[in-house]
Amino acid sequence: MSGAEADVLVVGGGMGGVAAALAALRRGRTVVLTEETDWLGGQLTSQGVPPDEHPWIEQFGATRSYRRLRTAIREHYRTWYPLTRESREAPDLNPGRGTVSRLCCEPRVAAAVLADMVGPYLSAGRLTIRYLHRPVAADVDGDRVTGVTFAGPDGEPFHVRAAYVLDATELGDLLPLAGIEHVTGFESAAETGEPSAPAQAQPANMQAFSWVFAVEHRAGEDHTVDRPKDYAFWRDYRPPFWPDRLLSLVAPDPRTLEPKPRVFVPHASSGRVVADQSRDPGDTDLWVFRRILCREVFEPGFAISDVVVVNWPQIDYLPGPLIGVTEDERARHLQGARDQALSMLYWLQTEAPRPDGGSGWPGLRLRPDVMGTADGLAKSPYIRESRRIRARRTIVEHDLSLAVRGEHGAVAYHDTVGVGMYRIDLHPSTGGDNYIDVASCPFQIPLGALLPIRVRNVLAAGKNLGTTHITNGCYRLHPVEWNAGEAAGALAAHCLANRLEPAQVHEDPAALERFQAELVADGFELAWPQVRGY
């Protein structure tokens, strides 16, 4: 068995994991970072999802390092792509002109930028990255995790010992391995007091995951994929709460649940768009919604086609979760999600209604190069919901619901380590729920939500922080996950430098104030200016 030692072990190289590693490295610590795929970035890259952000992201509401990431992505396009003069000079360059985000970009570009961000620490010998590694066992000594064993592509176990272990996996995989108290699925109203919670807990009821893909359109060509073997099932599949078959252009409005027809027309010119989900969720035009490369942004003739990410409710996988199931069931669900995604593509190519009265867009072509895969689907499924730690502070719906809090704004946490904003956006679930979509107030990230109730040297650094099933719906987005992970990495390094434990920082007002001052100096925003939720 090969092995390594470090000050900090970060398990999972998604948004939270990269931010955690960078925070600890900036403070002079050694870090081992592991990742199941061969790209850093999680939902932004290997899962293929443009960043879901609030409308003030260009001015405030994120950490300095997250802003550096966004700026570096734009500079990558300005440096290497033949942009029009207007696009090159636009400070808010949006390469895809998608309506879901003010920075819709290609996953491979974001992955390249993240690799550049960690590159200096690799050169300095203070960062070790093990790609294609997943945790399989944990060494536990009382209330501490002393090491983690990983399985890798060569078949040889890889063991890491570290003073602090941060779980930044997409599904909270370290929690059951180390016996860390956690929760899954929907908590009961009796436990949380949340207005939207059910009477009984539903631990197997989780948000659907999706297997995302990217397409372009080449008129006059035929790129129709082979008919998926389960196509007949998916073509006729209609959840009981859905207004039409899942493979259609009709889906509920997330906020009203009323049936809402969508539009899909390749290369319908949108012109310049401004993504602002406080005014419009932007999901009516599915070609523009998650477009990640818009040919109008570039010099004429450069791009043959726009490139669009298909991450729509039509590919939300409802038959079962990835947590709390056997390995065989998990494999079946993963394959089912891939089959559903390919069935959606085949339907778009062959049966989708066109404005001219015809059916199908055979010119739709998968873009494997954009996703960094052989088949054009993302490297891994898009995960919306993780296992969540039983935390020292659990964030509940009425802490930030606009209907509950109103003009008072979200609860102000004395232990804030960052901010975030998004509606509580729960996709249809494995338990048969439709959308649960709740207006929210701009909120803070409490330090207590990163700390398990018992284990002393493990921190949540991603979607596994102390939210509920409901509040996970607004704490799961890109900048919030980054901020949570960055705070966890900073806390681990702070504790090592000051010979403290996380619980001591959390419980001692003076120690907490010193840590928060350090975060502010490092570019964290701990509170919001006066803005209203939506």
Side-chain angles (χ1 to χ4, degrees):
M1 179 186 296
S2 61
E5 290 195 23
D7 295 326
V8 180
L9 167 61
V10 181
V11 186
M15 295 295 282
V18 174
L22 288 169
L25 290 162
R26 288 199 302 271
R27 290 161 174 79
R29 294 297 157 182
T30 57
V31 175
V32 172
L33 173 64
T34 65
E35 163 57 25
E36 287 197 41
T37 72
D38 58 358
W39 274 359
L40 299 178
Q43 57 180 323
L44 180 61
T45 60
S46 58
Q47 298 174 27
V49 179
D52 290 294
E53 300 168 331
H54 56 74
W56 309 288
I57 193 66
E58 305 291 345
Q59 291 80 40
F60 48 79
T63 69
R64 180 188 299 152
S65 70
Y66 186 76
R67 296 191 184 288
R68 287 186 63 198
L69 168 63
R70 299 177 85 254
T71 298
I73 290 171
R74 285 175 168 149
E75 286 306 308
H76 183 98
Y77 281 95
R78 291 191 180 102
T79 300
W80 301 113
Y81 284 64
L83 304 173
T84 64
R85 180 176 178 180
E86 177 193 9
S87 299
R88 186 179 302 107
E89 295 177 351
D92 59 347
L93 169 64
N94 188 348
R97 289 189 178 174
T99 51
V100 73
S101 172
R102 300 191 181 206
L103 186 59
C104 289
C105 66
E106 300 158 83
R108 63 179 183 83
V109 169
V113 170
L114 288 167
D116 287 343
M117 292 178 74
V118 301
Y121 301 103
L122 290 169
S123 298
R126 294 199 292 109
L127 170 64
T128 299
I129 302 178
R130 283 294 183 110
Y131 293 103
L132 304 175
H133 278 68
R134 60 182 179 86
V136 293
D139 304 327
V140 179
D141 183 5
D143 291 340
R144 302 182 69 85
V145 174
T146 58
V148 179
T149 301
F150 298 86
D154 59 4
E156 181 182 3
F158 178 64
H159 186 263
V160 183
R161 293 180 58 84
Y164 279 89
V165 180
L166 277 53
D167 185 354
T169 58
E170 299 299 321
L171 292 169
D173 291 332
L174 188 65
L175 305 182
L177 294 177
I180 298 171
E181 293 82 359
H182 63 277
V183 64
T184 66
F186 224 145
E187 298 90 341
S188 70
E191 178 181 354
T192 67
E194 294 174 302
S196 301
Q200 302 294 325
Q202 301 169 8
N205 187 4
M206 305 171 206
Q207 284 195 75
F209 68 94
S210 305
W211 215 303
V212 171
F213 58 92
V215 292
E216 63 180 8
H217 183 257
R218 299 197 177 193
E221 300 181 11
D222 188 345
H223 296 282
T224 305
V225 298
D226 293 339
R227 178 185 167 107
K229 66 180 181 63
D230 291 332
Y231 178 69
F233 169 80
W234 288 112
R235 181 193 57 204
D236 297 332
Y237 180 58
R238 180 178 179 178
F241 52 83
W242 211 250
D244 200 343
R245 294 179 304 172
L246 202 57
L247 300 193
S248 74
L249 296 180
V250 177
D253 182 304
R255 302 181 185 183
T256 67
L257 300 185
E258 292 297 316
K260 179 180 177 181
R262 268 58 167 190
V263 175
F264 181 81
V265 180
H267 296 138
S269 178
S270 64
R272 188 171 173 82
V273 302
V274 177
D276 185 348
Q277 295 194 28
S278 67
R279 300 179 181 180
D280 183 348
D283 63 345
T284 299
D285 186 332
L286 294 178
W287 183 261
V288 176
F289 182 36
R290 295 185 186 272
R291 185 172 54 190
I292 56 173
L293 189 141
C294 176
R295 59 185 183 177
E296 295 174 2
V297 169
F298 307 97
E299 292 179 355
F302 169 68
I304 297 172
S305 172
D306 296 349
V307 179
V308 173
V309 164
V310 176
N311 175 27
W312 311 333
Q314 289 91 333
I315 63 167
D316 286 357
Y317 183 80
L318 301 173
L322 298 176
I323 296 171
V325 295
T326 66
E327 284 301 312
D328 286 347
E329 288 175 307
R330 174 186 168 90
R332 179 165 55 82
H333 292 322
L334 288 171
Q335 186 58 51
R338 295 176 67 86
D339 292 342
Q340 180 179 352
L342 290 172
S343 293
M344 183 68 205
L345 172 61
Y346 186 79
W347 182 83
L348 288 169
Q349 292 173 323
T350 61
E351 296 191 44
R354 299 197 310 259
D356 64 5
S359 298
W361 303 91
L364 291 174
R365 177 175 176 265
L366 284 167
R367 287 293 303 268
D369 55 318
V370 170
M371 289 297 183
T373 59
D375 60 12
L377 272 64
K379 290 178 181 288
S380 55
Y382 173 36
I383 303 298
R384 296 183 176 90
E385 184 169 343
S386 170
R387 300 175 181 89
R388 303 179 298 282
I389 61 169
R390 292 283 187 185
R392 288 175 171 262
R393 173 71 189 235
T394 300
I395 302 155
V396 292
E397 179 183 1
H398 38 288
D399 282 357
L400 52 99
S401 164
L402 184 60
V404 174
R405 299 293 303 174
E407 296 303 322
H408 296 288
V411 169
Y413 303 122
H414 77 283
D415 59 341
T416 173
V417 292
V419 297
M421 175 58 200
Y422 209 72
R423 288 176 68 92
I424 296 175
D425 172 22
L426 299 177
H427 275 237
S429 73
T430 58
D433 293 320
N434 205 330
Y435 283 103
I436 298 175
D437 191 280
V438 178
S440 63
C441 305
F443 53 80
Q444 296 172 327
I445 304 169
L447 180 62
L450 308 182
L451 276 57
I453 55 174
R454 176 182 58 83
V455 179
R456 296 158 58 189
N457 72 324
V458 174
L459 300 171
K463 293 187 285 291
N464 57 352
L465 78 167
T467 60
T468 64
H469 171 80
I470 294 172
T471 55
N472 161 74
C474 58
Y475 276 76
R476 65 181 174 84
L477 290 313
H478 302 64
V480 186
E481 182 185 350
W482 182 278
N483 193 151
E486 191 173 1
L491 178 61
H494 179 87
C495 288
L496 287 167
N498 293 278
R499 297 184 179 181
L500 295 170
E501 291 196 352
Q504 292 175 295
V505 176
H506 188 236
E507 294 168 0
D508 182 337
L512 177 61
E513 186 175 347
R514 286 192 293 272
F515 177 58
Q516 290 172 318
E518 177 188 308
L519 295 182
V520 171
D522 194 31
F524 284 65
E525 297 178 18
L526 304 189
W528 282 92
Q530 190 66 38
V531 289
R532 178 178 169 80
Y534 59 88

